[in-house]
Amino acid sequence: MTTLVPPQAAVVADASAGTTRWRWVAAATVVAAGALHVAAAFDNVHAGDVVVGFFLLVALLQLASGVWLAVTAVTRTGHAPWPVAAVLALTVGLLLLYLAAHTTDLLAGVAATDHQGGAAAGTHEGAQAQPPAPTGPVALGLESSAAEDSPGLLGTATVTVELLSVLALSALLPIGFRRHAANGLLALGVLVWIVWFTGVVA
C-alpha cells in the first residue's frame, strides 16, 4: 500500500528547500564580501584611519550577517524579513557608494583630509605650493581622478560578490517584501542610468 503525499505538502517542501539554498548562497556571498572588505582595509592603509575604519566596520557587519544567515540555514529556523531587508539595504548602499567613489570625486576629500590631518598647520608658502584638491562631480568639468583610483581586481571581485548577495537576499524576502525590493532596485537602476546618461557620473 502506497502513501500519497498531498500536492500542497510537496509544494511547501520544495519551497523550503529552495529557501534553504538561497540562505546558503546569501550567507556565503555576504561572508565573502566581508572578507574582501577586510582585505580592502589592509590595501587602503595609506588612505588613513577613517577609510580603514569604515572598511573594517562594514566587514564586521557583513561577517556577522553571514554567520547569522548560515545558522538559520543549518537550523532551518524562520526569520523576520526586516533583518534580511536591512542586510539587503546595506549591500545596495555599499554598491552605490562604490559607484560614487569610482565615477565621481565627491568622496575624494574624505581620504585626503584624513591622510593629511596635520597639513593644516603648514606654512602659508607651503599651502600655496600645493594645488587645491578638486571638488564636485565629474560632470562639472573638473578633472576626473578615475585614472588614479581605478577599480582593481579586489574592487571588481567585491562588487561581483555583492551583486550575487543582492540576488540571494531578495530571494529570501517574502513575496510582498520581494515585490517592493524589486521595484526599489529597478527604480535605483533607472536613476543610475539617468545620472550616467546626463554625465554626472563617468
Side-chain angles (χ1 to χ4, degrees):
M1 181 177 179
T2 58
T3 303
L4 297 178
V5 178
Q8 185 176 1
V11 171
V12 172
D14 291 341
S16 175
T19 301
T20 302
R21 283 194 294 268
W22 280 118
R23 285 186 193 180
W24 279 117
V25 173
T29 52
V30 171
V31 168
L36 288 170
H37 275 110
V38 172
F42 285 101
D43 193 52
N44 288 275
V45 171
H46 63 279
D49 294 339
V50 172
V51 175
V52 172
F54 172 77
F55 279 127
L56 291 178
L57 176 61
V58 169
L60 177 62
L61 293 174
Q62 288 181 321
L63 291 173
S65 302
V67 170
W68 171 70
L69 288 167
V71 169
T72 61
V74 170
T75 59
R76 295 177 178 268
T77 56
H79 53 75
W82 294 108
V84 178
V87 180
L88 176 61
L90 172 66
T91 307
V92 173
L94 290 171
L95 289 170
L96 292 176
L97 186 63
Y98 181 88
L99 182 66
H102 289 279
T103 57
T104 72
D105 57 0
L106 291 173
L107 302 177
V110 176
T113 301
D114 186 47
H115 185 62
Q116 301 174 358
T123 61
H124 181 65
E125 291 79 13
Q128 286 182 340
Q130 296 179 352
T135 57
V138 175
L140 298 181
L142 300 173
E143 255 184 68
S144 172
S145 58
E148 299 177 0
D149 195 23
S150 59
L153 182 60
L154 182 60
T156 303
T158 306
V159 168
T160 303
V161 169
E162 287 181 339
L163 287 174
L164 292 175
S165 297
V166 169
L167 177 63
L169 291 167
S170 299
L172 289 179
L173 293 173
I175 294 177
F177 277 80
R178 196 183 310 159
R179 187 179 299 112
H180 290 305
N183 291 337
L185 291 172
L186 179 61
L188 276 176
V190 172
L191 178 62
V192 170
W193 183 85
I194 291 174
V195 170
W196 171 81
F197 185 75
T198 54
V200 175
V201 297

